[in-house]
Amino acid sequence: MPVTLKAMRYFTAALQHGSISGAAEELHVAASAISAAISQIEAQFQLQLITRHRARGIEPTRAGRDMARKFTRLLEDYDTLLAEGAELKQEFTGSFRLGYYAPVAPGFLPQILAPFLAPRHQITLELEECHNDAAQAGLQDGRYDAVLFVPDGSHPHIDYDMLLQAPPYALLHPAHPLAESEVLSLADLAAEPLIALNRPMVTDYQLRLFAGLTRRPETIVQANTTEMVRAMVAAGHGCAILNMCPATDLSYGGQPLAVRPIADGGTPLSLAVGYNRSNPRRITSAFAQACQNWAASPAAAEFIVLPPKKTGAP
């Protein structure tokens, strides 16, 4: 049977005390456990490592002293490794890897991450935009420390904190006739050419939006980035339905855009921060808390387009 770390501790403690009973008292175990550990080690190496004296406790043989020194070094290295591992878990240093499926994340992530880039910290941030499924897979296989993603239909066994919910809104060219209305309906958009964000989850979501209507918009352009969708709309090629809204009403090309809420948009899409909640690094916990603080702030509300509240009759 291999010699365990526990047996090594029992053996070295007994030699330090020169007494089985003294080691048992220090380690809060039965004397028989100390004696059994010594016998196990002697049997493993087929050496006599101690001499037992009825009245004077125990005394190591030469081999026993050599073995105790080696065990002590091994135990010290092991304890150091554990301590360094615990410190690593608590450090605000090293790299922090974030995968995000949040098309407007550049609008709010710098604000959330700002405290982690303070001079007193030694952190390297690795930020990677990815698809929703890839974000979740990366969290599960350890590629990311945390992810921002849409948890609707998320993979099982992923821990996450909900941040906010974003209902759909319409994106229009300012000269489009629909832009004259303050609030739109899905029926208003059903006859319009659609510039669609080409992501599987978004495609399914938009199909569900129009499921109850007899007519659905025709998708004439599919783009895999939100900014390309915005650019095509700004160029007058069609309308789009998105969820989170950037703070700017201009495209990359500097062309204006119009945003209008959808009164009957139905179920919003959610944004969540996913991470290992059972055993996170300290920086991961701090990032998750920073995300929650941001989501509860007025700054987060600026990215959500809500239809005006209905006022009751006087």
Side-chain angles (χ1 to χ4, degrees):
M1 178 183 296
V3 176
T4 64
L5 290 170
K6 180 187 292 185
M8 293 182 196
R9 291 194 191 280
Y10 288 1
F11 180 83
T12 55
L15 266 60
Q16 287 169 0
H17 282 276
S19 165
I20 290 176
S21 60
E25 183 176 352
E26 177 195 336
L27 298 174
H28 306 290
V29 297
S32 59
I34 304 293
S35 181
I38 294 172
S39 298
Q40 175 199 348
I41 294 173
E42 288 184 322
Q44 176 69 28
F45 294 103
Q46 297 183 355
L47 292 171
Q48 181 180 353
L49 300 177
I50 67 166
T51 301
R52 289 173 169 85
H53 302 288
R54 184 179 298 273
R56 293 184 291 118
I58 62 172
E59 182 179 1
T61 64
R62 181 176 178 179
R65 284 192 296 269
D66 289 343
M67 196 65 69
R69 283 195 295 269
K70 293 176 181 178
F71 286 170
T72 298
R73 285 197 297 270
L74 282 172
L75 291 169
E76 287 176 350
D77 288 345
Y78 178 72
D79 291 339
T80 299
L81 178 63
L82 290 182
E84 289 175 351
E87 289 172 3
L88 178 63
K89 182 179 176 181
Q90 298 301 316
E91 278 183 354
F92 248 44
T93 60
S95 64
F96 176 73
R97 298 157 299 170
L98 175 68
Y100 63 93
Y101 174 71
V104 300
F108 59 82
L109 260 183
Q111 174 186 344
I112 293 174
L113 293 171
F116 301 97
L117 294 174
R120 68 181 183 277
H121 299 313
Q122 297 178 354
I123 296 173
T124 301
L125 298 178
E126 299 178 19
L127 311 178
E128 183 175 337
E129 183 174 2
C130 52
H131 294 301
N132 205 53
D133 287 343
Q136 297 175 75
L139 180 63
Q140 289 183 308
D141 65 22
R143 191 163 66 254
Y144 302 130
D145 294 297
V147 295
L148 290 172
F149 75 114
V150 177
D152 306 69
S154 61
H155 294 184
H157 312 304
I158 286 188
D159 297 329
Y160 63 87
D161 297 332
M162 190 71 73
L163 297 178
L164 50 81
Q165 293 186 318
Y169 66 88
L171 190 68
L172 310 163
H173 188 281
H176 194 290
L178 290 179
E180 297 177 3
S181 301
E182 292 186 3
V183 182
L184 301 179
S185 67
L186 291 173
D188 293 330
L189 298 165
E192 298 297 326
L194 191 68
I195 313 296
L197 185 60
N198 189 17
R199 301 289 177 90
M201 187 199 61
V202 175
T203 301
D204 293 342
Y205 174 75
Q206 293 189 353
L207 286 175
R208 293 196 303 270
L209 285 181
F210 292 95
L213 301 181
T214 56
R215 184 172 182 178
R216 299 176 185 177
E218 179 186 359
T219 298
I220 61 168
V221 176
Q222 290 186 327
N224 67 352
T225 66
T226 296
E227 194 47 49
M228 182 55 73
V229 170
R230 288 166 55 83
M232 295 298 289
V233 172
H237 296 308
C239 305
I241 297 174
L242 300 172
N243 289 80
M244 291 187 70
C245 184
T248 178
D249 59 0
L250 297 176
S251 70
Y252 274 180
Q255 298 165 303
L257 290 156
V259 170
R260 297 293 182 268
I262 300 174
D264 56 347
T267 304
L269 282 182
S270 304
L271 180 68
V273 54
Y275 61 105
N276 179 2
R277 288 194 297 192
S278 63
N279 192 31
R281 293 172 59 198
R282 189 165 72 95
I283 186 174
T284 304
S285 297
F287 173 74
Q289 185 60 58
C291 288
Q292 294 174 50
N293 294 342
W294 169 80
S297 72
E302 297 297 321
F303 292 86
I304 306 300
V305 180
L306 296 173
K309 293 182 179 180
K310 296 180 180 179
T311 56

mmCIF file of all heavy atoms in Angstrom, residues 133 135 262 301:
data_model
loop_
_atom_site.group_PDB
_atom_site.id
_atom_site.type_symbol
_atom_site.label_atom_id
_atom_site.label_comp_id
_atom_site.label_asym_id
_atom_site.label_seq_id
_atom_site.Cartn_x
_atom_site.Cartn_y
_atom_site.Cartn_z
ATOM 1 N N ASP A 133 -23.419 29.873 -28.066
ATOM 2 C CA ASP A 133 -23.052 28.495 -27.716
ATOM 3 C C ASP A 133 -21.565 28.374 -27.429
ATOM 4 O O ASP A 133 -21.144 27.650 -26.527
ATOM 5 C CB ASP A 133 -23.450 27.529 -28.840
ATOM 6 C CG ASP A 133 -24.953 27.296 -28.910
ATOM 7 O OD1 ASP A 133 -25.640 27.612 -27.925
ATOM 8 O OD2 ASP A 133 -25.431 26.804 -29.948
ATOM 9 N N ALA A 135 -19.627 30.668 -26.219
ATOM 10 C CA ALA A 135 -19.357 31.260 -24.909
ATOM 11 C C ALA A 135 -19.617 30.245 -23.801
ATOM 12 O O ALA A 135 -18.794 30.073 -22.886
ATOM 13 C CB ALA A 135 -20.230 32.500 -24.705
ATOM 14 N N ILE A 262 -41.172 48.620 -29.650
ATOM 15 C CA ILE A 262 -42.246 47.775 -30.188
ATOM 16 C C ILE A 262 -43.200 47.449 -29.044
ATOM 17 O O ILE A 262 -42.800 46.834 -28.054
ATOM 18 C CB ILE A 262 -41.676 46.483 -30.806
ATOM 19 C CG1 ILE A 262 -40.708 46.833 -31.943
ATOM 20 C CG2 ILE A 262 -42.797 45.587 -31.315
ATOM 21 C CD1 ILE A 262 -39.983 45.627 -32.525
ATOM 22 N N ALA A 301 -29.743 50.981 -17.969
ATOM 23 C CA ALA A 301 -31.062 51.261 -18.547
ATOM 24 C C ALA A 301 -30.952 51.991 -19.880
ATOM 25 O O ALA A 301 -31.881 51.938 -20.702
ATOM 26 C CB ALA A 301 -31.892 52.081 -17.557
#
